[in-house]
Amino acid sequence: MSSEKNSRTILIADDEPDILEILSFNLEDEGYDVITATNGNQAIELAKASTPALVILDVMMPGKTGFEVCKILRTLPEFANTLIIFLTALNDDPTEIKGLESGADDYITKPISPKVLRSRVNALFRRVPRESDNVMQVGDLKIDREKYIVTLDEEEIVLARKEFELLALLTSKPSKVFLRSEILNKVWGTDVIVGDRTIDVHIRKIRQKLKKDYITTVKGVGYKFQL
C-alpha cells in the first residue's frame, strides 16, 4: 500500500447513519471524496486502505472509540501528519483535553450546521503548510529549518534557538492545539527539567518579535498557531 495521502479524501466515522449521510452530502458537494465507517474497527481498516487526508471521528462508537482509533492511527508512520478531527456531542473540558492528547488536530462539538463544518474543514486544509525540503511556508511566514532563518513579509526575524524550534513546532500543524507537556517534550526533551513558565516566556518573546498575534493561548491546555 502506498503511504501517499489522497489530498481530497475524507474518512468520516460515526455510528449514526443520518449524520453520515448529511456530512457526506455536504462535503462531497464541496468537492471532497468521502468514505464512511460506522464503527471504530471499520474506520481503522478503511483508513489503512485509503490513507485519507482528513479523518473525522465520533468519540462513542462500537468496536473502538474515537480516542482509540486516533491513538492507533498516530502510531502508524503514514498517519503521523494526517488531519484528525473529533466531532462529538461530548462537550466537557476533560474529554476535549483527552481528545487533543490522543493526537487530534481539532475538537468540534455537536450539533454543528453542515455549512459551518464545511467552513471548518476548508479552513483546516488551507492551513496545512506548504513544505519543500527544509523550508516551510505558512501564509507570509517562511521557516527554513536547516538555516534556522524565519522571514515574515520578506523581512528576516531573529529568533533564539529554542524560540525557533517552538515556532517551527507550532507552525508544523496550524490550528492544532499543542499541549504544554508535548511542547516541553519536543522542544526541550525529557533530559532537561523546565517549567511551564519557560514556555510562556518563549511564547511572549516570539509574539513580540513577529509583531503579529499568530499564537493563541488555549487556557489550561496549551498553544496553537493560527493565521
Side-chain angles (χ1 to χ4, degrees), residues 120-166:
R120 293 281 288 268
V121 168
N122 288 335
L124 197 59
F125 274 112
R126 284 196 301 270
R127 290 167 187 158
V128 174
R130 300 190 305 276
E131 193 168 346
S132 175
D133 297 327
N134 290 306
V135 179
M136 181 167 56
Q137 176 114 25
V138 189
D140 294 328
L141 186 69
K142 185 182 292 184
I143 299 174
D144 189 322
R145 290 175 295 188
E146 186 175 70
K147 298 179 180 178
Y148 275 74
I149 294 175
V150 175
T151 56
L152 179 61
D153 296 326
E154 304 302 325
E155 178 184 348
E156 186 172 332
I157 308 296
V158 179
L159 297 179
R161 186 181 183 91
K162 289 303 181 186
E163 293 168 5
F164 178 92
E165 292 174 357
L166 177 51

Side-chain angles (χ1 to χ4, degrees), residues 14-190:
D14 198 301
D15 61 345
E16 297 184 44
D18 290 346
I19 290 178
L20 287 178
E21 183 178 352
I22 293 170
L23 297 184
S24 297
F25 174 81
N26 280 272
L27 291 173
E28 286 172 350
D29 190 54
E30 197 70 17
Y32 295 104
D33 298 317
V34 178
I35 302 169
T36 61
T38 56
N39 62 68
N41 293 325
Q42 186 183 27
I44 294 171
E45 292 175 5
L46 291 175
K48 290 179 178 178
S50 60
T51 54
L54 168 64
V55 179
I56 300 176
L57 297 170
D58 186 18
V59 172
M60 303 307 296
M61 293 186 293
K64 286 184 173 59
T65 68
F67 294 148
E68 292 172 320
V69 173
C70 185
K71 286 182 178 179
I72 289 171
L73 293 182
R74 286 298 190 221
T75 64
L76 303 174
E78 61 266 36
F79 296 100
N81 296 308
T82 298
L83 297 171
I84 298 179
I85 296 175
F86 281 116
L87 180 61
T88 174
L90 301 175
N91 60 2
D92 58 289
D93 290 344
T95 304
E96 181 172 352
I97 292 172
K98 183 178 179 180
L100 296 171
E101 287 179 335
S102 71
D105 297 287
D106 202 357
Y107 189 99
I108 302 172
T109 55
K110 301 174 184 176
I112 183 172
S113 78
K115 288 184 178 180
V116 172
L117 181 64
R118 285 165 63 161
S119 297
R120 293 281 288 268
V121 168
N122 288 335
L124 197 59
F125 274 112
R126 284 196 301 270
R127 290 167 187 158
V128 174
R130 300 190 305 276
E131 193 168 346
S132 175
D133 297 327
N134 290 306
V135 179
M136 181 167 56
Q137 176 114 25
V138 189
D140 294 328
L141 186 69
K142 185 182 292 184
I143 299 174
D144 189 322
R145 290 175 295 188
E146 186 175 70
K147 298 179 180 178
Y148 275 74
I149 294 175
V150 175
T151 56
L152 179 61
D153 296 326
E154 304 302 325
E155 178 184 348
E156 186 172 332
I157 308 296
V158 179
L159 297 179
R161 186 181 183 91
K162 289 303 181 186
E163 293 168 5
F164 178 92
E165 292 174 357
L166 177 51
L167 180 62
L169 174 65
L170 294 177
T171 54
S172 68
K173 300 194 81 172
S175 81
K176 168 183 166 60
V177 179
F178 285 88
L179 305 176
R180 287 176 172 272
S181 58
E182 185 177 6
I183 293 172
L184 288 171
N185 183 50
K186 291 186 176 180
V187 176
W188 279 271
T190 55

Side-chain angles (χ1 to χ4, degrees), residues 159 163 200-210:
L159 297 179
E163 293 168 5
D200 299 336
V201 170
H202 281 71
I203 291 290
R204 186 176 72 247
K205 289 180 178 178
I206 294 171
R207 285 169 171 161
Q208 290 172 347
K209 292 178 179 180
L210 293 182

